[in-house]
Amino acid sequence: MVERIFNFAPGPAVLPLPVLEEARDALLSLGDSGIGVMEHSHRGGPFDEVIASAEADCRELAGVGDDHAVLFLQGGASSQFYMLPANLLPEGGTADYVLTGSWSKKAAKEARLYGDVHVAASSEDRDFAYVPDVAALQFSDRPAYLHFTSNNTIVGTQWKQEPTPPDGAFLACDACSDALSRPLDISRYGIYYAGAQKNLGPSGVTLVILRRDLLERTERELPTMLRYATHAEQGSRYNTPPTFGIYVMGRIFRWLLDQGGLAEAERRNQEKAATVYDAIDEAAFYQPAADADSRSLMNVTFRTPSPDLDARFVAEAEAAGLSGLKGHRSVGGMRASIYNAFPAEGCRVLAQFMKDFAASHG
Ligand SMILES: *Cc1c(COP(=O)(O)O)cnc(C)c1O
């Protein structure tokens, strides 16, 4: 078998090896059913169990109570950019958005199709290198909700703490690139959504955790598939859901629980990120792309003194078995994506590579 290498890709991204091994077996037979997980009916008994345990484990892991529905949808986080305002931004209403990167701008753009968007804060003045101070947000008069992007995958910034929406508004979070990577108080959120392919599983399934009282509020006539209520009422099985993705996501929830839950995930993620940030800070050779107080634990971004050296860094790293380190084209430099499933050993190997590279090219 080909040996696995360290995969720093931003998404789809590395998955936990024990989960992949379990999924490999389940491809041929789910349990002792003699039928592979992808071949089971989405309405049969074995899949009933798959989806029920995925939901139960998600609830246990993230502390999700009865006030919230857990939905498994399709269309990625990008479809939530329009589904959220289509369902929950009233005609003539306003939603407040915090702009901290190109994903938040894309989210705000879709909301403008349905109502007014008020920018509560933006860090575009410095190319999104920081996350605004929660105390500095300027709300509109009566927003329906406040939307923010908890982790900015491209520049590599992350909110340390979620903002608090004004009275009467609910909190909406695009958590695509740091979902369930640290403890959270889900009762503070109206909606929390993420495509699975960064922290939670394979591409093709989107986790949406939605406060149930919002389901009654559907603000306009929408096609059946676009209504949150459809999916909540039908247990995410109005139509054929992404069964394999739901299975893998469920196994990842279980893996996270077995590892010690979100507190332990955060501890590991902090330790992994510190390994790489220390390597950046130790050598004047590297410049971080994000401000120190806004650094992401998920996407660590940095540059060498020149684009030429950046390209050499990426090529030599690739040759050393460190894959996927090229930064996003809008930022340049390097980006190490080290989500929940990324092993600590890979961060240590990268840090050593960075020291050696600085020594030989500095
Ligand atoms: C990757 C990403 C998205 C887009 O996710 P899709 O599931 O591909 O639609 C949205 N927001 C953030 C923060 C992301 O990192």
Side-chain angles (χ1 to χ4, degrees), residues 20-284:
L20 292 175
E21 287 170 342
E22 213 183 336
R24 178 180 60 189
D25 294 345
L27 282 182
L28 299 183
S29 175
L30 180 62
D32 56 10
S33 68
I35 296 175
V37 58
M38 290 195 291
E39 304 164 298
H40 271 285
S41 163
H42 61 293
R43 304 202 186 276
F47 190 74
D48 285 346
E49 223 169 275
V50 166
I51 196 165
S53 69
E55 176 172 341
D57 287 346
C58 177
R59 287 183 180 279
E60 184 182 344
L61 185 64
V64 183
D66 289 342
D67 287 348
H68 285 74
V70 173
L71 307 178
F72 302 108
L73 306 183
Q74 300 190 57
S78 301
S79 292
Q80 295 308 306
F81 294 170
Y82 65 77
M83 206 164 156
L84 164 63
N87 280 267
L88 296 170
L89 179 53
E91 300 288 349
T94 301
D96 287 8
Y97 278 72
V98 186
L99 304 186
T100 51
S102 45
W103 292 117
S104 5
K105 282 175 76 176
K106 284 181 177 167
K109 173 171 175 257
E110 300 302 296
R112 287 189 190 98
L113 296 171
Y114 298 97
D116 287 328
V117 166
H118 166 80
V119 176
S122 167
S123 54
E124 195 163 14
D125 57 331
R126 285 204 292 112
D127 295 331
F128 300 119
Y130 67 102
V131 160
D133 184 353
V134 282
L137 303 185
Q138 304 261 333
F139 302 123
S140 63
D141 267 351
R142 295 189 44 200
Y145 60 83
L146 169 66
H147 182 280
F148 78 112
T149 312
S150 51
N151 183 74
N152 299 283
T153 327
I154 293 173
V155 177
T157 65
Q158 186 177 26
W159 294 74
K160 296 290 169 275
Q161 168 203 347
E162 68 270 276
T164 303
D167 281 350
F170 65 86
L171 186 62
C173 178
D174 171 2
C176 200
S177 52
D178 70 349
L180 309 188
S181 65
R182 56 184 174 179
L184 83 161
D185 178 359
I186 202 75
S187 69
R188 302 188 59 160
Y189 293 78
I191 179 170
Y192 181 90
Y193 64 87
Q197 68 277 9
K198 286 159 186 150
N199 257 307
L200 304 176
S203 60
V205 58
T206 309
L207 176 69
V208 176
I209 302 176
L210 178 68
R211 221 172 65 203
R212 281 194 204 278
D213 64 303
L214 298 174
L215 292 167
E216 334 243 292
R217 266 208 226 166
T218 308
E219 298 287 354
R220 53 180 63 71
E221 201 76 55
L222 287 174
T224 310
M225 278 293 287
L226 293 192
R227 298 174 65 239
Y228 286 122
T230 300
H231 302 286
E233 283 158 14
Q234 304 290 327
S236 303
R237 285 188 282 181
Y238 170 74
N239 72 327
T240 317
T243 54
F244 181 66
I246 293 169
Y247 163 80
V248 178
M249 199 186 237
R251 299 325 294 159
I252 286 176
F253 295 150
R254 179 40 50 198
W255 174 77
L256 283 165
L257 285 165
D258 290 347
Q259 304 273 308
L262 296 188
E264 174 61 12
E266 178 178 48
R267 191 196 65 74
R268 288 170 184 227
N269 288 330
Q270 278 171 343
E271 196 174 279
K272 288 187 297 180
T275 304
V276 185
Y277 283 118
D278 285 352
I280 295 173
D281 294 337
E282 267 165 30

Side-chain angles (χ1 to χ4, degrees), residues 315-327:
E316 289 182 26
E318 187 81 45
L322 304 169
S323 172
L325 284 164
K326 189 171 167 23

Side-chain angles (χ1 to χ4, degrees), residues 280 283-289 301-314 331-335 353-354 357-358 361-362:
I280 295 173
F285 184 74
Y286 296 108
Q287 297 98 48
T301 47
F302 57 98
R303 300 184 187 95
T304 70
S306 78
D308 269 1
L309 280 170
D310 289 344
R312 280 178 72 173
F313 183 102
V314 170
V331 179
M334 275 68 68
R335 168 175 54 177
F353 178 87
M354 289 170 69
F357 190 88
H361 299 275

